[in-house]
Amino acid sequence: MINRASVKLIQDLMSSRQDGCEDDQLLDTQSVIRRFRANLVIAGAEPFEEDNWSHLIIGNTRFMVAGQCGRCQMIGIDQDTGTKTKEPLFSLSAYRAGKVTFGVYLSHQSPESSTGANVLSAGSLIQAEPHKY
């Protein structure tokens, strides 16, 4: 799962790095999202807020945050053309001080008394539970 606000922040960093450079084309938001190949994209949270969540409820479906997604050079490959670029890995690595993670792994948690299928749909309410330290 990735967060649109985190995508926007990385996109802004890429844009500021590309001022004066003509090597890489500026990626639009949807292109950046495709590079990360997420199953779920949420909106409404602060950038990288998802790093501090222990659980997430989307609609009526509960997930445990199983950890952060480590990223490799694969995010630098345009999934449509196969073209390889330094971004967004370069900007992500610089922003995260070498910690190249983006997004989180989610694990579905079945309720004790399940009365049917859980359905995820666009526009569902999202409720995050932060880690308790």
Side-chain angles (χ1 to χ4, degrees):
M1 183 223 55
I2 62 174
N3 172 1
R4 276 191 178 277
S6 302
V7 169
K8 177 73 172 116
L9 189 145
I10 292 301
Q11 186 181 19
D12 290 348
L13 289 170
M14 289 171 27
S15 176
S16 68
R17 288 180 170 285
Q18 290 179 340
D19 288 347
C21 292
E22 57 241 14
D23 289 351
D24 294 334
Q25 276 189 313
L26 189 60
L27 298 173
D28 65 19
T29 301
Q30 283 306 116
S31 295
V32 175
I33 288 172
R34 279 196 307 273
R35 294 283 182 106
F36 287 105
R37 303 174 322 276
N39 293 318
L40 297 171
V41 180
I42 64 159
E46 294 296 316
F48 295 102
E49 185 179 349
E50 62 276 16
D51 292 352
N52 300 313
W53 296 343
S54 65
H55 293 84
L56 181 67
I57 300 169
I58 303 173
N60 66 348
T61 307
R62 183 177 171 85
F63 297 91
M64 178 183 73
V65 175
Q68 296 178 353
C69 301
R71 300 299 179 161
C72 66
Q73 295 177 358
M74 192 67 174
I75 63 173
I77 298 174
D78 182 319
Q79 301 300 303
D80 296 326
T81 66
T83 304
K84 187 175 180 182
T85 63
K86 293 178 185 174
E87 294 292 1
L89 187 62
F90 190 74
S91 292
L92 179 61
S93 179
Y95 180 76
R96 304 281 273 182
K99 178 182 169 186
V100 188
T101 60
F102 191 88
V104 293
Y105 294 110
L106 298 178
S107 177
H108 177 253
Q109 292 191 306
S110 297
E112 301 274 330
S113 58
S114 183
T115 59
N118 290 333
V119 177
L120 299 179
S121 57
S124 292
L125 178 64
I126 296 170
Q127 301 169 18
E129 297 176 17
H131 286 285
K132 294 177 181 144
Y133 295 103

